[in-house]
Amino acid sequence: VNVLNRHGQTIIVGVDLIKEAREAIQNGLMDASVAFSPAAVARVVLGYAIKVLRGEEIPDEFSVPSVLISRENIDSYRDE
């Protein structure tokens, strides 16, 4: 983006909100990152694992809560 001089013209979004992404967002080098809680993922997966062990049906697909983190809300976001 910087090499092509397109900063401010290109939206940059990542996934996982790793440390480098958090810093890039805070410094205005990245627009956002989708964050999810490993604890929330574990709750969902373990919940379905228990259902499978009980012989219950589970959906073919499932989702976990995620949050779009940007400069506007990065200071208030805390990992679970």
Side-chain angles (χ1 to χ4, degrees):
V1 172
N2 289 335
V3 171
L4 297 174
N5 198 25
R6 301 207 30 109
H7 189 71
Q9 300 173 13
T10 304
I11 297 172
I12 301 172
V13 179
V15 178
D16 289 346
L17 192 62
I18 60 174
K19 177 185 168 203
E20 293 83 1
R22 182 182 289 272
E23 291 170 0
I25 292 168
Q26 290 170 326
N27 294 326
L29 301 173
M30 187 173 183
D31 295 289
S33 184
V34 178
F36 61 90
S37 163
V41 173
R43 277 194 300 275
V44 170
V45 171
L46 290 173
Y48 285 129
I50 290 168
K51 287 185 175 208
V52 168
L53 292 173
R54 291 180 178 160
E56 299 174 23
E57 288 190 30
I58 62 170
D60 292 334
E61 297 179 9
F62 60 89
S63 62
V64 294
S66 57
V67 180
L68 182 65
I69 304 299
S70 66
R71 288 184 85 178
E72 288 77 27
N73 64 351
I74 195 163
D75 291 331
S76 63
Y77 180 76
R78 300 284 179 254
D79 295 331
E80 240 181 76

